[in-house]
Amino acid sequence: MTRYKWWFYVFNFSADNKVGNGNGMRRFKKAPTVLDWISVARDVEKNYRLPKGSVVVTNYQPVTK
């Protein structure tokens, strides 16, 4: 069984409507690319029921131990 080294990142996002700004944490199986962050933004839109394209991940950084 293969064990993954998880990549943990915290991120901030901004939304166009009343939700405003927020933050979250996500884990990845490999170093995240721009496309990974676009999918994170889509997940945030789904969770808050926002229109597509209204959430932008503004910054992110890896979680250090």
Side-chain angles (χ1 to χ4, degrees):
M1 184 170 159
T2 309
R3 289 186 58 98
Y4 288 103
K5 177 186 178 296
W6 291 100
W7 301 64
F8 289 92
Y9 277 78
V10 292
F11 62 92
N12 296 336
F13 64 87
S14 63
D16 287 345
N17 69 350
K18 297 181 181 73
V19 173
N21 301 330
N23 55 23
M25 190 175 119
R26 180 62 65 96
R27 68 179 186 176
F28 299 96
K29 290 185 179 177
K30 57 182 175 42
T33 61
V34 174
L35 294 176
D36 293 330
W37 289 113
I38 291 173
S39 70
V40 167
R42 295 295 169 265
D43 288 345
V44 171
E45 290 165 5
K46 267 192 231 168
N47 292 342
Y48 289 103
R49 292 193 174 96
L50 300 173
K52 189 168 181 176
S54 63
V55 172
V56 176
V57 175
T58 53
N59 65 1
Y60 54 88
Q61 62 186 23
V63 177
T64 55
K65 292 182 179 178

